[in-house]
């Protein structure tokens, strides 16, 4: 689901997540469909994703983007993870997957740490 939503993103980090997910799962990944894709420049993306016959609201982005949803939160363990990774020069992208049928009960949130090689000068 994460790589499916990020495949629609225009952000380089989103594209990297989409490519990695596709490489990891290959053609054996679950069939997904998406509706209502929304992108907020510099913050994150949101869509309703159907996977295995179930609909989910998927949010991917910065901490502030995730926490602006009334149903999402970032646990302390992931806040600490972001601090640790940021000190190492990495970017953390958070993911919140909420069941569409009961969005008041968020599923666990994931933090993905990304880094890239500096461009040669």
């Amino acid at each position: 689901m994460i790589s499916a939503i990020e495949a629609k993103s225009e952000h380089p980090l989103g594209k990297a997540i989409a490519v990695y997910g596709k490489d990891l799962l290959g053609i054996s990944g679950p069939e997904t469909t998406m509706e209502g894709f929304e992108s907020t420049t510099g913050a994150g993306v949101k869509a309703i994703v159907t996977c295995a016959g179930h609909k989910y609201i998927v949010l991917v982005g910065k901490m502030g983007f995730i926490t602006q949803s009334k149903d999402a939160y970032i646990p302390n363990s992931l806040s600490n993870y972001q601090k640790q990774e940021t000190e190492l020069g990495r970017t953390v992208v958070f993911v919140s997957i909420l069941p569409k049928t009961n969005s008041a009960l968020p599923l666990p949130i994931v933090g993905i740490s990304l880094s890239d090689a500096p461009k040669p000068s």
Side-chain angles (χ1 to χ4, degrees), residues 24-87:
L24 185 65
L25 296 173
I27 59 171
S28 66
E31 175 107 15
T32 59
T33 59
M34 191 176 343
E35 58 189 271
F37 180 85
E38 300 172 20
S39 177
T40 303
T41 304
V45 294
K46 175 182 179 179
I48 298 171
V49 179
T50 303
C51 183
H54 300 284
K55 288 189 177 196
Y56 301 90
I57 299 169
V58 181
L59 302 159
V60 183
K62 292 181 175 180
M63 183 185 292
F65 182 77
I66 300 297
T67 57
Q68 74 182 0
S69 168
K70 64 181 172 63
D71 298 323
Y73 67 98
I74 301 290
N76 288 337
S77 59
L78 285 178
S79 294
N80 293 337
Y81 175 71
Q82 180 184 32
K83 182 179 177 186
Q84 168 192 320
E85 294 301 296
T86 301
E87 288 174 358

Side-chain angles (χ1 to χ4, degrees), residues 102-113:
N102 189 355
S103 61
L105 299 172
L107 293 175
I109 297 174
V110 175
I112 301 170
S113 176

